[in-house]
Amino acid sequence: QVQLVESGGGLVQAGGSLRLSCAASGRTFSIYAMGWFRQAPGKGREFVAAIIWSSGYTYYADSVKGRFTISRDNAKNTAYLQMNSLKPEDTAVYYCAANPTNNYYSNEYNYWGQGTQVTVSS
């Protein structure tokens, strides 16, 4: 099993920045990819970004490309999501996930964190 704990959410003004962290514990040697998803009120969970643990190769949703950066620290078993130029429409609960069972863009991951709230005021 892998346990994931997100942190770093909060309230920020439009144009500001936040960095989310996702700390993994347990069978961390089994992690091969991690992703970030978000869910706004009344909407479904949507893909934000993903990273391949060994190579560092990254994938992004078009809506965040150029503004968000996913990274990882293998030694700390932690993934990060640096969010810049935040917009009110980025407001959502952000979840990290590990080990997709389908493609990286789908919601089909084996492990999920509890989520962290990001609120962007206009």
Side-chain angles (χ1 to χ4, degrees), residues 1-47:
Q1 295 292 326
V2 174
Q3 294 78 42
L4 303 174
V5 178
E6 303 99 333
S7 61
L11 174 65
V12 64
Q13 289 188 332
S17 299
L18 281 175
R19 189 177 82 154
L20 305 183
S21 299
C22 177
S25 61
R27 297 171 63 89
T28 56
F29 59 86
S30 68
I31 295 174
Y32 58 87
M34 291 186 74
W36 285 96
F37 290 76
R38 65 186 182 186
Q39 188 166 17
K43 296 187 177 181
R45 192 170 297 186
E46 66 169 352
F47 170 77

Side-chain angles (χ1 to χ4, degrees), residues 22-25 27-34 51-57 70-80:
C22 177
S25 61
R27 297 171 63 89
T28 56
F29 59 86
S30 68
I31 295 174
Y32 58 87
M34 291 186 74
I51 188 166
I52 307 302
W53 210 245
S54 57
S55 66
Y57 197 80
I70 188 171
S71 62
R72 91 279 191 238
D73 184 329
N74 298 63
K76 295 183 178 180
N77 295 314
T78 300
Y80 303 96

Side-chain angles (χ1 to χ4, degrees), residues 36-38 46-50 59-64 68 81 94:
W36 285 96
F37 290 76
R38 65 186 182 186
E46 66 169 352
F47 170 77
V48 175
Y59 303 83
Y60 294 95
D62 288 342
S63 59
V64 306
F68 290 11
L81 186 68
Y94 283 71

